[in-house]
């Protein structure tokens, strides 16, 4: 099969959350070919370049979502063709196209304004109006170009103003002012940029057998259009929920309540349309699955596939009898407010009162930006205040029981060594998706104490202790219970490793998607081609590899038909003549 892998801010770039998972998927399924369709999210990401791509990756098309077409010509990098924001060569729309544009934007924005009042379970008229406007704008962009200029026009602002003031809209949206209209129009244009890339042709998404979106949101939009224009089935994988991330992400600039409400309604309607059109949806955990069901995903389309992680690198620690530092707590992750290290430090103060010899080692680096550095400095200051340097006697040098370390130093050269030093691994987060650090600790056979957020309970099962978030006393009590019971720690650690090896390895993830790809292709309707396509194609057969029908003796190709007529020969039969000829030759030799 030829898979069109759709990414947003990840693979094939050297940075991004989905990079490792996508790379493992592409390398782990050598029987398939992959075409990459990737959006970049910043100039810095593009400057860092790509990871080394395997040979089975055919074409790569990229499109920057962070700039306009004037800069895109210089910023984009691709193997094959480079995506770009279409401009229509600067042409303004004619009267008929202006009417089309106005009608489609009115339908889409009207649905968004209605969605702010009726919420994600609305469906019905609002969802139909949103879909009609979305696909109408996509067709206009494909035929005429220039969509992003039109979306930033005064016409769009006036449409948004009329929709916000229409009867039946909520109070929040009804109170919007001109700055709110302008801010929403700018965000709407940014969100709809995927409609204007030049991927929607027979050499792009029309040439793939299956579109696989590595996340929802912007990366799934090309998949929606590939299904709309070419009938290509869409598979959506979400390890997190873009809509949830939209709700929780800090705002780059202050926005009023009307803008936030409009954006939330837009992303909710887009998520619902993606889930409605997808042939199958593969959430990475049950927490994600609940969000998807909340926004209209059909349960019959949902299949949970946990993200695969490499277990081999942790094998030496996990299989050893060394239980780590008997009185050492270890925390590993990104230093940011959502990880709630403040609560962890207060909990550790309680642990020290019960077990004075305990140490806490914090491994991590602050997230990029001033907020991460500020939070790390705050945590260091709090640790110094709660735990002044202690000495065993009057002649010894004082030492703080809390250390902030970065992996890669002389004492801890790699991640495995950090987990090996732990008696108990702690997670204190307020917000979490799929807890990677917990899975890594489980591979290492370490007992864990974690807060009940995100997919933590689903991952840990009964192999670790789980406490409520924002509760330092409960976190401290759980840590003390494990520190005082080495047999229980060893028992939980062994059970955790067995559970992780069963559910969270790369092998189980690849096996799941291998079956999903074949199942979706087997149920997809045949896509017919013309006789000229059949006889002029000199390349190999179109994937879906070579189906059993191609080995039937005799000629499946039809006699030439009238010009313009369509032959009822499926696309997988292209190039199959050589296969059938070989089968006939083998049969003659046996006779």
């Amino acid at each position: 099969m030829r898979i069109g892998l759709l990414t947003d801010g990840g693979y094939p770039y050297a940075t991004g959350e989905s990079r490792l998972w996508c790379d493992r998927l592409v390398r782990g399924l050598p029987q398939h070919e992959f075409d990459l369709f990737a959006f970049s999210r910043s100039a810095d990401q593009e400057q860092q370049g790509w990871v080394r791509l395997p040979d089975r990756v055919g074409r790569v098309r990229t499109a920057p979502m962070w700039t306009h077409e004037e800069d895109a010509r210089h910023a984009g990098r691709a193997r094959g063709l480079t995506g770009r924001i279409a401009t229509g060569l600067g042409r303004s729309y004619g009267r008929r196209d202006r009417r089309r544009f106005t009608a489609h934007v009115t339908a889409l924005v009207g649905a968004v304004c209605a969605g702010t009042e009726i919420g994600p379970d609305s469906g019905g008229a609002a969802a139909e109006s949103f879909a009609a406007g979305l696909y109408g704008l996509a067709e206009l962009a494909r035929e005429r170009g220039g969509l992003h200029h039109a979306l930033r026009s005064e016409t769009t602002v006036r449409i948004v103003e009329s929709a916000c003031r229409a009867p039946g809209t909520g109070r929040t949206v009804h109170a919007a002012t001109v700055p709110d209209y302008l801010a929403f129009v700018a965000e709407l244009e940014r969100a709809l940029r995927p409609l204007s890339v030049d991927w929607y042709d027979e050499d792009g998404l029309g040439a793939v057998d299956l579109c696989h979106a590595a996340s929802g949101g912007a990366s799934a939009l090309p998949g929606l259009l590939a299904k709309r224009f070419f009938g290509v089935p869409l598979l959506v994988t979400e390890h997190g929920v873009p809509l949830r991330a939209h709700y929780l992400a800090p705002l780059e600039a202050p926005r009023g309540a009307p803008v936030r409400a409009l954006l939330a309604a837009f992303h909710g309607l887009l998520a619902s349309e993606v889930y409605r059109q997808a042939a199958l949806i593969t959430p990475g955990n049950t927490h994600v699955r609940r969000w998807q069901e909340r926004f209209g995903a059909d349960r019959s389309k949902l299949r949970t596939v946990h993200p695969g992680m490499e277990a081999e690198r942790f094998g030496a620690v996990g299989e050893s009898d060394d239980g780590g530092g008997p009185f050492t707590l270890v925390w590993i992750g990104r230093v940011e407010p959502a990880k709630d290290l403040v609560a962890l430090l207060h909990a550790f103060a309680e642990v020290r009162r019960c077990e004075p010899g305990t140490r806490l080692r914090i491994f991590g680096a602050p997230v990029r930006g001033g907020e991460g550095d500020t939070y790390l400095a705050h945590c260091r200051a709090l640790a110094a205040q709660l735990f002044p340097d202690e000495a065993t006697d009057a002649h010894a040098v004082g030492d703080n029981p809390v250390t902030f370390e970065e992996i890669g130093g002389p004492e801890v050269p790699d991640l495995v060594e950090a987990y090996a030093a732990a008696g108990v691994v702690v997670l204190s987060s307020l917000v979490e998706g799929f807890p990677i650090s917990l899975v890594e600790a489980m591979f290492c056979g370490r007992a864990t104490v974690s807060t009940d957020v995100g997919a933590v309970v689903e991952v840990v099962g009964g192999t670790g202790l789980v406490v409520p978030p924002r509760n330092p006393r409960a976190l401290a009590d759980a840590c003390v219970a494990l520190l005082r019971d080495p047999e229980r720690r060893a028992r939980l650690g062994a059970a955790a490793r067995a559970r992780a090896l069963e559910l969270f390895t790369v092998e189980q993830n690849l096996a799941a998607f291998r079956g999903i790809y074949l199942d979706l292709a087997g149920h997809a309707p045949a896509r017919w081609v013309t006789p000229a396509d059949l006889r002029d194609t000199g390349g190999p057969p179109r994937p879906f590899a070579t189906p059993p029908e191609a080995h039937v003796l005799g000629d499946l190709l039809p006699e030439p038909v009238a010009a313009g007529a369509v032959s009822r020969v499926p696309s997988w039969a292209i190039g199959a003549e050589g296969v059938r000829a070989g089968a006939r030759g083998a049969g003659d030799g046996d006779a």
Side-chain angles (χ1 to χ4, degrees):
M1 290 175 59
R2 183 182 295 275
I3 310 297
L5 188 59
L6 313 175
T7 67
D8 180 19
Y11 196 68
Y13 295 100
T15 59
E17 295 183 359
S18 65
R19 175 179 59 85
L20 291 177
W21 175 78
C22 290
D23 192 58
R24 291 167 184 161
L25 181 73
V26 171
R27 295 180 185 277
L29 298 177
Q31 67 271 44
H32 300 298
E33 296 181 9
F34 288 85
D35 289 346
L36 300 184
F37 300 85
F39 294 126
S40 64
R41 282 292 164 182
S42 67
D44 180 64
Q45 184 179 53
E46 293 204 357
Q47 290 172 358
Q48 294 188 42
W50 296 354
V51 298
R52 185 179 179 85
L53 299 176
D55 292 338
R56 66 184 58 94
V57 174
R59 295 164 299 176
V60 180
R61 291 191 178 187
T62 66
M65 293 291 102
W66 48 271
T67 184
H68 294 308
E69 73 281 0
E70 293 83 6
D71 297 325
R73 296 189 186 98
H74 306 287
R77 174 189 176 190
R79 203 169 77 194
L81 294 176
T82 301
R84 59 187 181 278
I85 302 297
T87 65
L89 303 177
R91 297 190 305 267
S92 60
Y93 288 155
R95 181 179 301 176
R96 179 183 178 188
D97 291 333
R98 286 199 298 269
R99 286 199 300 267
R100 290 174 60 191
F101 173 80
T102 301
H104 299 323
V105 174
T106 300
L108 186 144
V109 173
V112 169
C113 290
T116 61
E117 183 69 14
I118 53 186
D121 292 330
S122 58
E128 292 178 4
S129 178
F130 179 85
L134 180 69
Y135 295 130
L137 290 174
E139 291 169 357
L140 182 62
R142 188 185 182 204
E143 296 171 9
R144 301 299 184 190
L147 181 62
H148 89 272
H149 288 304
L151 285 171
R152 284 183 174 269
S153 67
E154 182 180 352
T155 300
T156 305
V157 177
R158 292 188 180 278
I159 292 173
V160 172
E161 179 182 16
S162 299
C164 290
R165 294 182 176 182
T169 56
R171 291 183 179 179
T172 302
V173 173
H174 199 76
T177 60
V178 172
D180 295 323
Y181 305 147
L182 295 174
F184 174 67
V185 165
E187 291 298 324
L188 180 65
E189 182 274 324
R190 187 175 292 111
L192 294 180
R193 286 180 187 175
L195 304 185
S196 299
V197 294
D198 61 349
W199 299 348
Y200 312 113
D201 52 41
E202 294 293 344
D203 294 325
L205 288 171
V208 303
D209 298 292
L210 172 69
C211 281
H212 186 174
S215 66
S219 68
L221 260 177
L224 283 180
L225 301 189
K227 180 178 180 182
R228 176 82 173 185
F229 297 146
F230 308 108
V232 178
L234 173 63
L235 168 65
V236 178
T237 294
E238 289 185 319
H239 295 140
V241 181
L243 183 61
R244 173 178 174 269
H246 168 77
Y247 287 144
L248 299 177
L251 298 177
E252 298 178 357
R255 297 194 185 107
V259 179
R260 295 196 298 271
L262 289 168
L263 289 175
F266 171 83
H267 288 289
L269 287 166
L270 177 59
S272 297
E273 179 63 14
V274 169
Y275 298 151
R276 187 170 71 89
Q277 295 295 338
L280 190 68
I281 307 165
T282 54
N285 53 72
T286 304
H287 176 65
V288 172
R289 182 176 181 137
R290 287 196 295 268
W291 274 82
Q292 292 170 337
E293 291 179 356
R294 176 76 174 87
F295 283 87
D298 186 347
R299 291 187 177 184
S300 64
K301 293 182 178 181
L302 294 170
R303 177 178 172 183
T304 302
V305 180
H306 296 113
M309 299 176 59
E310 294 180 355
E312 293 78 7
R313 62 185 301 198
F314 306 104
V317 176
E319 295 173 2
S320 69
D321 295 329
D322 181 11
F327 288 94
T328 302
L329 302 179
V330 166
W331 180 95
I332 298 176
R334 297 191 309 271
V335 179
E336 58 181 334
K339 302 302 181 182
D340 203 9
L341 290 181
V342 171
L344 176 61
L345 291 171
H346 283 290
F348 185 63
E350 296 292 329
V351 172
R352 289 279 292 180
R353 292 188 182 96
C354 300
E355 296 293 337
T358 308
R359 297 181 59 83
L360 172 62
R361 302 181 68 177
I362 296 175
F363 295 95
V367 295
R368 291 187 176 184
E371 184 182 37
D373 294 329
T374 302
Y375 187 71
L376 177 59
H378 173 68
C379 292
R380 288 181 183 273
L382 180 61
Q385 179 182 355
L386 292 175
F387 312 101
D389 290 349
E390 301 174 356
T392 56
D393 55 58
H395 303 287
V397 177
D399 185 25
N400 195 302
V402 178
T403 58
F404 292 83
E405 308 173 49
E406 289 193 23
I407 296 172
E411 295 186 2
V412 184
D414 58 31
L415 184 64
V416 177
E417 294 296 327
Y419 287 111
V424 176
V425 174
V426 185
L427 183 143
S428 55
S429 299
L430 298 174
V431 178
E432 196 72 49
F434 185 83
I436 293 176
S437 63
L438 280 188
V439 177
E440 292 172 341
M442 293 166 71
F443 280 136
C444 291
R446 294 299 185 257
T448 61
V449 175
S450 49
T451 49
D452 185 6
V453 292
V456 165
V457 171
E458 179 184 358
V459 168
V460 173
T463 68
L465 303 187
V466 180
V467 300
R470 297 185 185 273
N471 193 331
R473 175 57 64 89
L475 190 64
D477 291 344
C479 291
V480 170
L482 291 183
L483 290 172
R484 290 177 172 176
D485 193 343
E487 292 184 359
R488 187 184 185 190
R489 286 203 313 270
R491 188 167 60 250
L492 288 176
R497 176 168 169 79
R499 178 178 176 84
L501 291 175
E502 179 183 0
L503 298 178
F504 307 124
T505 62
V506 173
E507 291 73 21
Q508 66 83 22
N509 183 267
L510 292 176
F513 280 107
R514 186 179 296 113
I516 287 171
Y517 282 176
L518 295 178
D519 183 63
L520 289 179
H523 288 84
R527 294 160 58 197
W528 308 103
V529 294
T530 64
D533 294 328
L534 292 172
R535 300 188 184 280
D536 295 343
T537 301
R542 277 283 303 274
F544 183 62
T546 304
E549 291 85 349
H551 296 278
V552 176
L553 299 182
D555 192 359
L556 283 176
L557 294 179
E559 294 299 325
V561 295
V566 176
S567 170
R568 302 300 290 175
V569 179
S571 61
W572 49 255
I574 297 178
E577 295 168 292
V579 176
R580 290 192 296 272
R584 286 196 297 270
D588 294 341
D590 293 340

